[in-house]
Amino acid sequence: MPDPTVTVRMFGALHTLRKERGLSTVADVVIPVEGLTATDLAELLDLPLDLIEGVFCNRTVYPMRHHIAPGDRVAFVPKGTPGPHRFFLGLYAAGKEEGEG
Amino acid sequence: MREIVRVNMATGAISKEPLPAAWARYGGRALTSALVFKEVPADADPLGPDNKLIIAPGLLGGTAAPNGGRISIGAKSPLTGGIKESNSGGTAAHALGKMGIAAIIIEGVPADKTVSYVLRLFPDGMIDLVARHDLKGLGTYETVAVAKGIEAAEHRFSDKASFITIGPTGEMGMKSAGIAMTDPHGYPNRFAGRGGLGAVMGSKGLKLIAIFEEGLKGTEHADKEAFTAAVRKFANALTTHAVTGTALPTYGTNVLANIINEAGGYPTRNFSSGQFEGVEGISGETMREITLERGGNVKHGCHTGCVIQCSRYYVDKDGHYMTKGPEYESAWSLGANCGISDMDTVAALDRKCGDIGIDTIEAGVMLGVYMASGKIAFGDGPAALAALDEIGKGTELGKILGDGAEATGLAFGVKNIPVVKHQGLPAYDPRPIQGIGVTYATSTMGADHTAGYTITSNVLAVGGTVDPLKPEGQAALSQGLQIATAMLDSLGFCIFVAFAVLDMPEAFEAIHEMAAAHTGEAWDADALMQLGKETLTYERLFNEHAGFTNADDRLPKFFLEEKLAPHDVVFTVTDEELDSVYAFVPEVAAQLGIK
């Protein structure tokens, strides 16, 4: 049986938000063995969805409907990443998909 | 009518001439590159009499265009051997624009190498060249302090003065020397850093340019009312967009550190890994916390007219100014690439680079190579500072290190030297982020992240849909990025404006509306992109004349052969795809009547 936790990092405005709440910016979260969506995970952490543009899962960017499984390495990226990386990494596409979906 | 100021350092002659009508749409990078193409022999010695240093505000320089106050400096590069345009903030571009100056051309070399010259431009149109013996060898901060003191004594200095200067490395002709611009608070911390342009300025015997704009009126517009309306539209877009209105002003460019690290593309210890275990210590989030705790400034503009306000000042433990808040690329190069995870150490290295006048990217890439040689250890901050001291003093070792990463790697037998066209790669590993690799490989500037920094996908129909780990679509994406960036550089815009432009059609409209209302000529989206293409065409052809071929548009082999953890990938974009990026050049060259 896999370890039912995921490690979650939070950057930018989400990083600041966690600090303001007196919480670590890196969290180990126990999730259901069948996994959950990134949106559900963000809600579990009480992160404001309107601030999030995309999610890294195991170092690749996905839209927020992406399925997170136990053992994954996760990072939430807020809106506002500068540079061409917004395109090169797929953050722009992830955000657009969320907006349209 | 905008004018070109020509300064001959061999004779001391200063003259003015009208900007050629054919170049009426050119400013900034378009103008520096067109002038270098036309006036500098491609085989010129970069530090000899035939090279020219060209300084140009953007087309909208001197106006109230939000974030339109960037300056372009061009020449043949002593580092790359090709054309160079290096772009900076500061206040000089706005001042020159208000004076109606399209460009300053510095040409020739003085016979007396013992003298430092100061070029002064006054609001009444007078320009003079003054010989000084007390500025030789001074750092950038001391040079500006001395200049302010002198000018204050002569009742010329005011807060409305802008200074452009070099440190001792420029005077010594080092290939990593940059040119410093004073920011709105008078600190010489904004740099046209890349490509060794500081050495070109030094070869001309020119230590300082002082621009006095006290009492100058704003620039005239063909249609003032329309210009003001477009400015309002553009400013509103910039201040309400998530990138330009919130993220950048809060964390600065270094908000990227954690993100690029998470993507596995954060070059660590001379590009040997894509993740740095110490990233948190040098991240934008940490820099903000430290700066706020110490009472430093975390939000201001780096140039006149900036509404994004992503600059900050890094202060020491007593709250005293040390340096600008290191940008993402500087924090990476002097941090992760050297295995250094302490922000105070990174800031000290950044200040040292600024004072001796060298490019922080080239310096950090050089230090990474030097550390890879085993001469000093990765993570050894004091040794890194000592190496920079050697450069500033111009010792035998310092002259090698001051010529950059490639010179250092060759001198010390390092196998993996991360350079393209002899220039160090910036802060994104091209293996897990393949698109930036295309830009590094093909840019006319050598490895340069800003060459393809941004895009208007609604105009170019590209962007955002490529897989960063795969080659498909990367060449087309990079081509669009490079054209759009050249356009923004030519108008004088900060490249960050395009994030708002991407998502808000009215922001893009506002750009050509500002250009049209200011110049009285017709501008539209096609005209803007044509400006970018023409700029790149001058640059590409100059490089061809200088001997560059497609073989120079390649990454070092280790990026193609050595897998990078954690994605375990290599760069896989084919040579054919790389060679397609500049396919538009023959057609545009024919339109321009050049070859």
Side-chain angles (χ1 to χ4, degrees), chain B residues 66 230-241 244 307 500 504 506:
Chain B
V231 164
R232 285 199 187 115
K233 185 194 284 188
F234 197 52
N236 182 61
L238 295 181
T239 52
T240 56
H241 189 268
T244 52
V307 300
M504 306 166 85
E506 68 270 28

Side-chain angles (χ1 to χ4, degrees), chain B residues 26 42 45 51 88 117 165 205 208 226 256-257 286 299 319 332 350 396 400 412 442 444 485 536 541 548 573:
Chain B
Y26 289 0
D45 172 0
N51 199 8
S88 175
Y117 289 92
T165 189
L208 182 77
L256 277 172
T286 297
K299 186 182 177 185
W332 158 78
D350 185 272
E396 192 175 340
I400 295 170
F412 294 101
T442 62
T444 51
T485 302
L536 293 175
L541 290 183
F548 286 87
V573 179

Side-chain angles (χ1 to χ4, degrees), chain B residues 146-183:
Chain B
V146 169
K148 283 179 179 176
I150 294 165
E151 300 299 343
E154 295 181 10
H155 307 292
R156 283 185 169 129
F157 173 71
S158 77
D159 290 340
K160 288 286 185 184
S162 303
F163 297 98
I164 300 173
T165 189
I166 56 172
T169 54
E171 295 173 73
M172 290 186 280
M174 292 182 180
K175 293 179 181 177
S176 62
I179 298 175
M181 257 63 57
T182 46
D183 76 353

Side-chain angles (χ1 to χ4, degrees), chain A residues 80-88, chain B residues 243 248 256 428 452-454 496 499:
Chain A
T81 301
H85 329 291
R86 215 168 149 231
F87 308 99
F88 287 140
Chain B
V243 176
L248 276 171
L256 277 172
Y428 320 86
Y453 204 78
T454 189
F496 295 152
F499 303 118

Side-chain angles (χ1 to χ4, degrees), chain A residues 16-41:
Chain A
T16 301
L17 183 69
R18 290 281 291 184
K19 286 267 179 118
E20 286 170 355
R21 291 175 178 173
L23 299 169
S24 170
T25 58
V26 182
D28 287 329
V29 183
V30 177
I31 66 170
V33 290
E34 67 273 20
L36 75 182
T37 67
T39 299
D40 291 339
L41 180 58

Side-chain angles (χ1 to χ4, degrees), chain B residues 34-92:
Chain B
L35 280 164
V36 171
F37 177 84
K38 184 184 177 195
E39 297 199 6
V40 177
D43 61 355
D45 172 0
L47 303 184
D50 292 335
N51 199 8
K52 301 189 181 190
L53 186 75
I54 300 172
I55 301 166
L59 180 69
L60 298 175
T63 75
N67 285 74
R70 302 279 299 185
I71 197 163
S72 291
I73 302 185
K76 180 178 179 180
S77 165
L79 182 69
T80 70
I83 199 166
K84 174 59 65 178
E85 183 267 357
S86 196
N87 194 282
S88 175
T91 58

Side-chain angles (χ1 to χ4, degrees), chain B residues 2-21:
Chain B
R2 290 182 293 153
E3 290 182 313
I4 290 175
V5 173
R6 195 177 291 273
V7 182
N8 188 316
M9 299 303 295
T11 64
I14 299 171
S15 60
K16 293 181 180 178
E17 60 202 73
L19 179 69

